[in-house]
Amino acid sequence: MIHRVDVRVVAPVRDTEVTDRVADAIRNLFPTAEIREEPGQLVGETHSMERFAERLHDQEILDTARKRFFAEATEDGFGFALKKQAALEGVINFAVGNPDELGDIEVQVTVHDPDVETFVDHVAPPTEDGRPIRPDE
């Protein structure tokens, strides 16, 4: 199945941070993102969450991801926040509550095709006994 999505990743860059390291944090989870610098932040745009999905599987946090995605879901997409320091290490750590002092990476996913629930099932499939299950299997 072909998925059509727009992923926008926004990461604040504090005066104490090296811009390239913030860009690395974005690229570690979204390697195809085209990143541009704006005042006080970096903005990445991509059409793929494949690397992100791989990390969710590797870290075995599919259920957590599904909860975060559906907590912010609309009919057009979903959003979530990530800890910047963890992303720099290539690790997904969802940010909840108060933002980190360096600021969180904000991700907004707009799903054009097929629909939000189907795309979430693709990125973070439901699990049974901790193992991913595909609805079409």
Side-chain angles (χ1 to χ4, degrees):
M1 172 176 284
I2 295 183
H3 300 99
R4 255 183 358 102
V5 297
D6 294 324
V7 182
R8 179 179 164 89
V9 184
V10 179
V13 180
R14 303 292 191 242
D15 293 340
T16 58
E17 292 182 292
V18 177
T19 303
D20 287 347
R21 286 182 53 84
V22 177
D24 288 344
I26 294 171
R27 283 193 192 98
N28 284 342
L29 299 177
F30 302 95
T32 60
E34 291 183 24
I35 299 172
R36 68 180 181 279
E37 203 169 337
E38 293 185 356
Q41 66 184 13
L42 292 180
V43 178
E45 306 262 348
T46 185
H47 302 287
S48 171
M49 288 186 64
E50 292 309 309
R51 172 73 177 141
F52 192 85
E54 288 171 11
R55 294 301 302 137
L56 292 175
H57 281 81
D58 293 346
Q59 291 179 230
E60 299 181 348
I61 56 171
L62 297 172
D63 291 334
T64 301
R66 290 176 65 78
K67 284 180 191 150
R68 293 301 329 136
F69 297 164
F70 285 124
E72 302 291 327
T74 66
E75 80 176 40
D76 297 325
F78 57 95
F80 54 93
L82 301 168
K83 295 290 185 187
K84 196 188 302 180
Q85 188 63 41
L88 188 57
E89 304 298 323
V91 174
I92 295 170
N93 187 356
F94 290 100
V96 291
N98 296 330
D100 193 79
E101 68 181 64
L102 295 177
D104 296 327
I105 297 172
E106 298 289 335
V107 181
Q108 186 61 47
V109 181
T110 303
V111 181
H112 300 286
D113 196 37
D115 60 67
V116 172
E117 187 171 350
T118 303
F119 185 69
V120 169
D121 285 349
H122 171 72
V123 173
T127 65
E128 190 172 285
D129 298 327
R131 294 193 155 347
I133 55 171
R134 299 278 181 191
D136 54 355
E137 290 181 354

